[in-house]
């Protein structure tokens, strides 16, 4: 297995657990195009190997992930509708590959887990959060949209609306557990240990039974219409991103002239 990656680290345990570590700590593991390509390569290759029984996904440094890389987005040329469709469909597929993976996936979360990072963590089958984890979806606060609107399918609709319509990005680990955003919380620094405990339990079970059971659970969501609803939400996001708006224009102006930190400060002050 090639482990010569720029933005991730990959570790394989003797128990058949593949550990994918997001490794852009200086930018809180913001998801850029290189990370998307490398994670997808690792996941798609390893899930075909029978000795791999489970995946653990975590982040290096101070955070799980701050979401999609806004600096990379700002550096791109002005996009038309067809450009946004290509970008957002790729983002959606990147997140949902953890839901669609035939082998179980576990996210081990600490620090900030924001925007696309939250969607990525929730798309995993099990989510373990350290008590220092902070969750949120701030997109509406700067005129953006949700890439994979999986949240309303994982938690109660009123909690989902409370988070998504306010752009709240200060959700504590305890609240995340109370509303079933994560499976459980553990002491700070123990999130990876607990994720591996769960992964070992899965790896010790009969692999065919595990795979078919996960498929049956996911199929029940498809029967209820989740996949079609998520794809419709992508279409909504395309409209939002292509339309812009006053908040989006001002956020991007500050971001280009003063930097991302200043743009976020402006967003938070409103």
């Amino acid at each position: 297995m090639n482990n010569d990656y720029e933005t991730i680290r990959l570790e394989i345990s003797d128990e058949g657990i593949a550990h994918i570590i997001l490794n852009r700590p200086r930018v809180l593991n913001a998801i850029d195009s290189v990370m998307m390509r490398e994670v997808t390569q690792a996941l798609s290759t390893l899930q075909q190997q029978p000795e791999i029984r489970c995946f653990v996904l975590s982040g290096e440094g101070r955070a799980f992930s701050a979401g999609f890389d806004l600096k990379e987005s700002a550096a791109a040329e002005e996009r038309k509708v067809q450009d946004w469709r290509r970008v957002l469909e790729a983002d959606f597929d990147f997140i949902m590959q953890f839901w669609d993976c035939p082998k179980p996936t576990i996210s081990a979360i600490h620090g900030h887990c924001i925007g696309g990072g939250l969607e990525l963590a929730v798309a995993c089958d099990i989510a373990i959060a350290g008590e220092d984890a902070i969750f949120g979806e701030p997109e509406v606060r700067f005129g953006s949209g949700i890439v994979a609107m999986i949240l309303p399918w994982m938690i109660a609709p009123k909690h989902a609306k409370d988070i998504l319509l306010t752009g709240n990005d200060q959700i504590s680990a305890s609240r995340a557990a109370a509303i079933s955003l994560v499976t459980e919380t553990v002491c700070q620094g123990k999130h990876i240990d607990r994720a591996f405990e769960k992964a070992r339990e899965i790896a010790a079970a009969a692999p065919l039974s595990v795979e078919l059971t996960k498929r049956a659970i996911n199929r029940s969501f498809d029967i209820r219409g989740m996949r079609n609803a998520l794809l419709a939400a992508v279409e909504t996001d395309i409209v939002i991103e292509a339309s812009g708006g006053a908040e989006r224009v001002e956020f991007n102006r500050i971001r280009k002239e003063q930097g991302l930190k200043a743009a976020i400060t402006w967003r938070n002050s409103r």
Side-chain angles (χ1 to χ4, degrees):
M1 164 61 79
N2 174 26
N3 201 16
D4 186 19
Y5 296 109
E6 294 180 37
T7 66
I8 67 172
R9 296 205 325 272
L10 183 61
E11 300 172 354
I12 309 295
S13 76
D14 293 337
E15 301 107 328
I17 301 166
H19 187 190
I20 299 174
I21 305 160
L22 307 180
N23 192 27
R24 299 185 72 208
R26 292 186 178 180
V27 291
L28 301 183
N29 297 316
I31 302 164
D32 66 358
S33 57
V34 178
M35 180 180 284
M36 289 173 63
R37 182 175 68 250
E38 291 183 343
V39 169
T40 299
Q41 177 188 346
L43 187 66
S44 61
T45 300
L46 288 170
Q47 70 184 18
Q48 303 300 324
Q49 299 181 9
E51 64 270 23
I52 300 300
R53 301 292 186 88
C54 187
F55 289 89
V56 172
L57 177 68
S58 68
E60 183 65 43
R62 296 182 292 120
F64 177 78
S65 175
F68 287 103
D69 193 333
L70 296 178
K71 286 188 177 180
E72 184 178 61
S73 177
E77 297 180 357
E78 184 175 352
R79 290 168 173 160
K80 298 179 180 179
V81 172
Q82 60 268 30
D83 300 318
W84 279 114
R85 180 177 300 280
R86 173 181 51 80
V87 169
L88 295 175
E89 287 180 348
D91 291 349
F92 176 83
D93 291 341
F94 170 74
I95 291 168
M96 293 303 295
Q97 67 183 327
F98 283 86
W99 177 271
D100 294 328
C101 178
K103 311 288 178 71
T105 55
I106 303 173
S107 55
I109 308 155
H110 76 295
H112 283 86
C113 182
I114 305 295
L118 183 150
E119 295 160 37
L120 184 62
V122 174
C124 291
D125 301 305
I126 296 172
I128 308 295
E131 61 187 4
D132 62 322
I134 301 173
F135 301 85
E137 290 266 21
E139 286 86 343
V140 297
R141 293 164 63 189
F142 54 93
S144 192
I146 310 300
V147 174
M149 198 174 288
I150 195 170
L151 209 59
W153 292 88
M154 300 294 107
I155 64 177
K158 291 190 183 299
H159 287 304
K161 289 180 180 179
D162 179 37
I163 294 168
L164 299 180
L165 300 183
T166 64
N168 187 354
D169 60 0
Q170 295 296 320
I171 300 166
S172 67
S174 59
R175 187 191 174 198
I179 63 176
S180 299
L181 180 61
V182 298
T183 310
E184 64 179 279
T185 58
V186 295
C187 294
Q188 182 173 340
K190 298 296 184 181
H191 56 293
I192 294 177
D193 291 341
R194 181 58 176 150
F196 267 81
E197 288 178 4
K198 285 287 184 184
R200 291 187 190 99
E201 292 178 17
I202 292 171
L208 181 60
S209 294
V210 169
E211 181 174 337
L212 293 181
T213 299
K214 173 175 176 175
R215 184 187 302 176
I217 294 170
N218 285 7
R219 178 59 179 154
S220 70
F221 280 87
D222 288 339
I223 291 171
R224 290 159 55 194
M226 188 183 87
R227 181 71 56 167
N228 287 337
L230 293 181
L231 292 175
V234 173
E235 294 297 320
T236 299
D237 193 16
I238 292 169
V239 172
I240 292 172
E241 301 293 354
S243 298
E247 295 83 4
R248 178 71 168 277
V249 170
E250 183 64 8
F251 182 87
N252 286 340
R253 182 192 67 79
I254 297 172
R255 182 172 60 179
K256 290 178 181 179
E257 295 178 3
Q258 303 175 38
L260 179 59
K261 185 176 181 179
I264 293 175
T265 300
W266 169 83
R267 181 200 72 188
N268 291 343
S269 69
R270 298 181 67 248

